Amino acid sequence: MMKSNKVADLINKRQKIDKKIEDIQKRCPHSSRSIKNVRERLDSTTMVIRWVCNECSLIIGYPNNKDKDNYLNQ
């Protein structure tokens, strides 16, 4: 198998996985959340503080300054 075919196959698999994750996150009730450090964007190395669903790992909000301070002081 040529490298371009391998790359195309991997991209196809990644798209399928991303779709499955998106479907799970859409159905999740987000009933439990925590403040976590997460990447600002998928292609970024910059970390930001966000509310994240404990079940599906979806970013669901921005903590206020008090929540951020409490998180940082742990």
Side-chain angles (χ1 to χ4, degrees):
M1 182 184 268
M2 296 178 60
K3 285 186 180 185
S4 63
N5 289 343
K6 288 181 182 181
V7 171
D9 184 48
L10 290 170
I11 290 171
N12 187 33
K13 287 178 182 179
R14 179 176 63 190
Q15 288 172 337
K16 288 179 181 179
I17 291 169
D18 288 343
K19 179 66 177 151
K20 287 180 183 180
I21 291 170
E22 184 180 326
D23 291 342
I24 291 168
Q25 290 175 332
K26 282 182 181 179
R27 290 190 313 259
C28 181
H30 312 303
S31 56
S32 175
R33 67 181 187 164
S34 298
I35 294 179
K36 297 182 181 180
N37 272 329
V38 296
R39 286 186 183 176
E40 187 174 31
R41 294 180 314 275
L42 289 178
D43 62 345
S44 174
T45 57
T46 303
M47 301 300 282
V48 293
I49 299 171
R50 298 290 185 258
W51 283 109
V52 177
C53 177
N54 292 333
E55 300 298 318
C56 72
S57 299
L58 181 69
I59 296 171
I60 55 175
Y62 301 90
N64 60 34
N65 288 335
K66 182 180 175 185
D67 291 334
K68 283 183 189 178
D69 290 342
N70 289 337
Y71 173 77
L72 293 171
N73 289 326
Q74 289 180 352

